[in-house]
Amino acid sequence: MIIKTLGTRGSNFNKGIDYELYGQETTSFYAKSKDSNILVDCGSGVSYIIDDLKQLDKLNILLTHVHFDHIVGILSLISNMPHTKISVFGLGTNGKSLKETLRPFVSMPYWPIDLSECPNVEFIDIFEITKDNTFMLNDVKVSVFESYHTENALIYKLEDETDKVCFAFDFNHKDGNLNGWFSELAFMPVDFNKKAMVDEWSGDYGCGVKYF
């Protein structure tokens, strides 16, 4: 499985030389296996590979949660990929389904047309998934786990025939609930770096992930 980092910043994107190494775009990772193309979250960084994504017949999007910095890239996708089948997986919030939760962001006054009026609407599917669930996206096994960040936040583990990768964004570790998963992953060295972004809420310095 090939993993490409498209964005790691929280809250909002920032341009400029001070952010070239760490933290320009909001959260999104692209995972490519032999038979699957998957975005884990859909932040502003998806614009970097939109031309490549246009060539796909099918794209899967796994949303960890529906904060705007994790979904803003969906607007680019539905506007620029009229012939690609897009499947979006996740959970809604505030008692609403995922589709009901996303619709306000893809409609007036925030967007010029409603989701139902998009030219590729027949190619867009939105699926509500459950915590502690497992399903297949072609050759990739997706395991879903409850996160601790906001209501209905999720963590994903992706497995193909050679690799396992865990995505836990904006995650607050609680009661050792991820220890078992981390023990399955080969090696996860992380650099603390004072040039990395500073979290707007906690004031904590970010870090640069060298490799998985």
Side-chain angles (χ1 to χ4, degrees):
M1 192 184 311
I2 298 172
I3 307 294
K4 183 166 186 171
T5 304
L6 305 177
T8 59
R9 188 171 183 82
S11 299
N12 54 66
F13 62 87
N14 279 277
K15 302 292 186 181
I17 192 169
D18 292 338
Y19 302 99
E20 284 185 351
L21 185 59
Y22 300 105
Q24 285 204 49
E25 306 294 346
T26 63
T27 305
S28 187
F29 283 72
Y30 177 48
K32 180 176 178 60
S33 68
K34 181 181 177 181
D35 298 318
S36 296
N37 295 276
I38 302 170
L39 285 175
V40 184
D41 279 349
C42 201
S44 59
V46 300
S47 59
Y48 288 119
I49 61 168
I50 193 73
D51 288 337
D52 294 328
L53 296 179
K54 285 180 186 178
Q55 311 305 315
L56 302 177
D57 294 324
K58 170 126 178 113
L59 176 67
N60 297 295
I61 302 173
L62 303 176
L63 297 180
T64 63
H65 59 290
V66 292
H67 284 168
F68 192 64
D69 51 326
H70 293 253
I71 65 172
V72 63
I74 289 179
L75 300 176
S76 296
L77 294 183
I78 64 175
S79 301
N80 292 285
M81 298 174 62
H83 305 297
T84 302
K85 184 171 179 59
I86 300 173
S87 295
V88 184
F89 300 84
L91 282 175
T93 188
N94 294 328
K96 297 180 179 179
S97 69
L98 180 60
K99 188 171 185 177
E100 291 170 331
T101 302
L102 293 176
R103 182 176 289 278
F105 297 107
V106 194
S107 61
M108 293 289 286
Y110 307 109
W111 196 242
I113 60 174
D114 185 80
L115 178 63
S116 62
E117 300 174 295
C118 290
N120 60 335
V121 64
E122 70 271 22
F123 296 112
I124 301 173
D125 291 317
I126 299 177
F127 298 97
E128 197 89 6
I129 58 178
T130 57
K131 304 168 187 176
D132 300 319
N133 185 23
T134 300
F135 58 95
M136 298 296 298
L137 294 176
N138 294 329
D139 61 329
V140 175
K141 178 182 177 182
V142 180
S143 299
V144 187
F145 196 80
E146 181 180 11
S147 183
Y148 294 96
H149 172 55
T150 187
E151 181 189 13
N152 287 342
L154 302 172
I155 296 164
Y156 296 101
K157 181 172 68 172
L158 307 186
E159 302 175 66
D160 66 4
E161 59 185 9
T162 59
D163 300 299
K164 297 179 182 180
V165 184
C166 181
F167 296 93
F169 303 148
D170 299 355
F171 173 71
N172 300 308
H173 191 52
K174 180 179 179 182
D175 301 328
N177 60 319
L178 273 190
N179 290 349
W181 276 21
F182 283 157
S183 68
E184 295 182 24
L185 304 178
F187 199 43
M188 297 177 58
V190 175
D191 295 327
F192 169 80
N193 193 307
K194 279 206 164 187
K195 292 183 179 179
M197 60 170 283
V198 178
D199 184 84
E200 289 90 344
W201 305 104
S202 67
D204 293 336
Y205 282 97
C207 57
V209 177
K210 292 166 65 176
Y211 49 84
F212 290 101

